[in-house]
Amino acid sequence: MQDLTDLYQSVILDHNRRPRNYKVLPAANRVGSGNNPMCGDQITVYVQLDGDRLTDVSFQGSGCAISQASASLMTLNLKGKTVAEAEAIYANLHRMVTTGKVDEDNLSDLAALAGVHQFPARIKCATLSWHAALNAAKGDEKPVTTEKPGD
Ligand code: ZN
C-alpha cells in the first residue's frame, strides 16, 4: 500500500511542477475563478464551450500542490467531454477525495487525489478548480469561494 501512496504522490508532484494546459485560452468563451482563503489557493479556469462540449480547458493560478495538480489533471480529464460527462467525472473525483474509495473498474490518473480524504481540510483544494470549471461551463461565471461549508 505504501508503494501506491508513493505513486499517487509522484503524480501530484509531477503535475504541480509541470502543470498541463497552464495558460490563458484565447478561444475561451467561458471563464471561471475559484478562491480558497483557508489555504490561499486561487484558480482561473478557461473553457472553450462548443454547444455542450468542453472542446478545450486551461487554467492559471497559484496555491498548494494539491490545488495546482488537481487543476492540471482537470484540464486533461475534461477536455473534449460534454457538460454531463464532466459532471460525472467530477462526481467520481468528489467521491474519491471524500471517501478514499477508488473505482477499480474506472481507474484514471485522478485516483492520485484519493489520498486527500485523509486530510479533510485539503478536500476544498482538490475540488476548487472543478467547481469553477463546471459552473463556468453551465453559464455561472461568478467566482467560486470555499467559504460556504458543505462542498
Ligand atoms: Zn490548497
Side-chain angles (χ1 to χ4, degrees), residues 36 38-42 62-68 121-122 124-126 128:
N36 179 13
M38 297 288 285
C39 182
D41 308 317
Q42 295 200 327
S62 60
C64 70
I66 300 282
S67 69
Q68 302 300 299
R122 313 306 297 279
K124 291 177 194 303
C125 303
L128 183 67

Side-chain angles (χ1 to χ4, degrees), residues 14 46 52 74 76 105 126:
D14 175 53
Y46 302 91
D52 75 338
M74 177 197 73
L76 297 176
D105 298 329

Side-chain angles (χ1 to χ4, degrees), residues 89-101:
I89 293 168
Y90 172 67
N92 186 35
L93 171 82
H94 189 263
R95 197 186 60 245
M96 284 195 288
V97 299
T98 52
T99 68
K101 288 198 179 65

Side-chain angles (χ1 to χ4, degrees), residues 27-73:
N29 48 8
R30 299 290 172 85
V31 179
S33 62
N35 175 33
N36 179 13
M38 297 288 285
C39 182
D41 308 317
Q42 295 200 327
I43 299 268
T44 302
V45 296
Y46 302 91
V47 177
Q48 183 183 352
L49 197 70
D50 182 7
D52 75 338
R53 194 171 292 278
L54 291 74
T55 51
D56 209 352
V57 185
S58 72
F59 85 103
Q60 286 192 317
S62 60
C64 70
I66 300 282
S67 69
Q68 302 300 299
S70 184
S72 174
L73 288 162

